[in-house]
Amino acid sequence: GAGVSQSPSNKVTEKGKDVELRCDPISGHTALYWYRQSLGQGLEFLIYFQGNSAPDKSGLPSDRFSAERTGGSVSTLTIQRTQQEDSAVYLCASSLMGQPNTGELFFGEGSRLTVL
Amino acid sequence: AQTVTQSQPEMSVQEAETVTLSCTYDTSESDYYLFWYKQPPSRQMILVIRQEAYKQQNATENRFSVNFQKAAKSFSLKISDSQLGDAAMYFCAYRSGATGANSKLTFGKGITLSVRP
């Protein structure tokens, strides 16, 4: 498909386990974003990748969270030693930088993480 | 840092009627973009409408229009002729327009809109 693809769609894990969430952005989009959406909350920014620049990790809530983007395309968000408060929907988005730049982010359907 | 506030957690509208969703923001910048995104139960966020701060004219997309009040830092969304498919969560978002600025969006907490048949 032509849209942002995320996997898995749903993930249930036990407290203390590590999880990996994958995002495949729209082809040609150089910017990639991860957001977290907790129940009843808005979207919390986690991390932003832009081309070959150093990522903006300012939103990562703890050192248990990390993300990488290989080859400027697919990104993986890793959560180590998961806690129950990590339960949320993790949304990935991509955007086109340079002209024309409408500022619009294109989102995937998210990965719902449940930590038991 | 910029903040986006959506003070109404829920709203309801009768089908075919008009509803307005409120959003305010705080910024010291003069160049920025504002967005309304829709999130249906499928979870995928969809852009509804966008507004460039330098444009005085309010953006319009079919049944959706905004009332952009730059001085008041207000950006409300009006949905006309509401349809059942409009039921969703709506998020207001801000993006800096400054050269070289990070292009991430700052979101409000969202508002759940229900449409009564």
Side-chain angles (χ1 to χ4, degrees), chain A residues 54-104:
Chain A
D56 175 358
K57 304 180 181 180
S58 61
L60 294 178
S62 77
D63 59 8
R64 296 186 297 104
F65 288 73
S66 63
E68 63 178 18
R69 189 178 185 192
T70 55
S73 181
V74 172
S75 177
T76 302
L77 176 69
T78 301
I79 309 173
Q80 296 178 310
R81 305 181 302 281
T82 52
Q83 304 294 313
Q84 289 182 331
E85 59 264 29
D86 299 334
S87 296
V89 174
Y90 290 83
L91 292 167
C92 177
S94 67
S95 70
L96 181 66
M97 300 303 292
Q99 295 300 324
N101 181 3
T102 64
E104 178 182 358

Side-chain angles (χ1 to χ4, degrees), chain A residues 9 33 35 37 41-43 45 48 56 58 101-105 107-110 112, chain B residues 33 35 37 39 42-45 47 50 89 91 95 102-109:
Chain A
S9 179
Y33 315 75
Y35 284 84
Q37 184 177 17
Q41 299 296 314
L43 274 71
F45 168 75
Y48 158 64
D56 175 358
S58 61
N101 181 3
T102 64
E104 178 182 358
L105 268 60
F107 284 83
E109 294 188 352
R112 181 181 297 280
Chain B
Y33 302 88
F35 305 84
Y37 276 84
Q39 187 182 41
S42 68
R43 299 198 307 239
Q44 186 168 25
M45 302 273 285
L47 179 66
R50 67 189 291 269
M89 199 157 185
F91 291 92
R95 174 184 179 260
N102 191 315
S103 63
K104 70 185 182 188
L105 298 188
T106 299
F107 288 87
K109 291 194 173 185

